[in-house]
Amino acid sequence: MSSQDASAPIGVFDSGVGGLTVARAIRDQLPGESMIYVGDTARTPYGPRPIAEVRRFALEILDDLVAQHVKMLVIACNTASAAVLRDARERYDVPVVEVIGPTVRSAAAITRNGRVGLIGTQGTIQSRAYDDLFAMRPDIALASAACPRFVELVEAGETSGPRVRRIAEEYLAPLVARDIDTLVLGCTHYPFLRGALRQVVGPDVALVSSDIETANEVYEVLTARELLRPAGSGEPELRYEATGEDTAGFVELARRMLGIGIDAIDRVPTGTIRLPG
């Protein structure tokens, strides 16, 4: 029996809007759970930043979520997961779920020819976090490619069209040449580009993203620790926070790209989160 409050919210954190794919998957699977989502929109994208800087930013926000008495932390950002996972699990008393492990396990189970492709931000690829986990499966050959422009395209709301297709072809050409049969979308922003990615790799390549796999893990951990929100606890609370000033842009992206209707989003200029400038 857990000593934590099962009626407390789940805390979900990402560098921007990408983690909303994970938040939506959690909502779909656990509609009775309350949730606080924080997007570090003032400092996105994390991918090009040094890992030490990403670690500092991530821990600031995770500290803030813990101070809001969440019962679980979900790091819905591959770059942040690679930077702080070990620290987070040692630092906090609440369970921590990240996006890399569940995605690797799914891709390893799906591949038929043992050739897996990985696309991610510069920070995620350079961290070799995926390489370390796939190394436990010596029968799988991993080919990786950094796609630094993808996050910027998604954050700008540009997810289709000739330019997106051209950039995707450029990034993915070396992976397609390796005859991959499975492609890991190693960034929570990338599912927004699924149409363009599918066009480039073809219908026979399985696309594995972290949203559903992470939601499955959230469900399993909450169940194992007896932390599922009790029935009869009333309507779940869904709160969205962002560090950047353009909260209207965040709401519009969420509505247009995910169909999530957000009534309001709180800007978080104080507390443990130290904003630039």
Side-chain angles (χ1 to χ4, degrees):
M1 176 70 70
S2 173
S3 61
Q4 293 162 0
D5 180 6
S7 63
I10 298 168
V12 182
F13 153 61
D14 182 52
S15 62
V17 300
L20 288 171
T21 58
V22 175
R24 183 177 65 173
I26 294 172
R27 283 180 59 189
D28 288 346
Q29 192 160 155
L30 295 164
E33 294 290 339
S34 294
M35 188 184 309
I36 302 173
Y37 180 95
V38 180
D40 192 8
T41 51
R43 300 179 289 201
T44 195
Y46 278 5
R49 295 182 180 275
I51 285 292
E53 188 174 46
V54 171
R55 178 182 178 276
R56 178 168 61 85
F57 291 167
L59 290 177
E60 287 174 6
I61 293 179
L62 294 173
D63 283 353
D64 184 74
L65 281 168
V66 169
Q68 296 186 64
H69 306 293
V70 297
K71 65 181 178 184
M72 167 184 276
L73 292 169
V74 179
I75 307 175
C77 173
N78 284 260
T79 308
S81 293
V84 303
L85 178 59
R86 183 175 299 176
D87 296 302
R89 287 185 169 155
E90 293 175 354
R91 186 182 183 99
Y92 306 116
D93 292 331
V94 299
V96 179
V97 171
E98 46 78 41
V99 292
I100 296 177
T103 310
V104 168
R105 289 191 290 273
S106 178
I110 288 172
T111 182
R112 305 176 305 280
N113 68 6
R115 300 189 187 100
V116 176
L118 165 68
I119 54 175
T121 67
Q122 197 73 43
T124 296
I125 300 301
Q126 289 179 346
S127 76
R128 299 188 63 83
Y130 277 91
D131 301 71
D132 291 343
L133 290 180
F134 273 113
M136 293 185 286
R137 284 286 304 273
D139 56 315
I140 293 178
L142 181 66
S144 304
C147 305
R149 298 180 67 185
F150 277 174
V151 170
E152 295 172 13
L153 289 171
V154 170
E155 294 281 344
E158 185 178 357
T159 58
S160 61
R163 189 166 82 104
V164 174
R165 170 75 182 263
R166 186 171 63 252
I167 293 170
E169 287 176 341
E170 176 186 337
Y171 285 148
L172 293 171
L175 305 186
V176 173
R178 296 282 293 272
D179 192 29
I180 61 169
D181 75 348
T182 304
L183 179 65
V184 173
L185 311 188
C187 176
T188 50
H189 286 69
Y190 293 179
F192 292 115
L193 301 168
R194 186 180 292 270
L197 297 174
R198 170 61 66 207
Q199 283 186 317
V200 173
V201 300
D204 296 329
V205 175
L207 302 183
V208 180
S209 60
S210 54
D211 48 359
I212 295 173
E213 307 307 329
T214 303
N216 289 341
E217 181 128 328
V218 168
Y219 179 89
E220 292 172 7
V221 172
L222 291 179
T223 300
R225 300 202 181 198
E226 300 184 28
L227 283 173
L228 289 172
R229 192 165 181 260
S233 299
E235 284 295 313
E237 180 185 4
L238 303 174
R239 191 156 79 251
Y240 300 89
E241 300 176 351
T243 58
E245 294 184 4
D246 187 14
T247 55
F250 186 102
V251 170
E252 172 59 18
L253 273 175
R255 182 199 62 76
R256 180 158 46 88
M257 302 174 70
L258 274 172
I260 293 179
I262 297 177
D263 295 329
I265 182 166
D266 301 321
R267 185 165 180 257
V268 192
T270 58
T272 58
I273 301 177
R274 299 188 297 275
L275 294 178

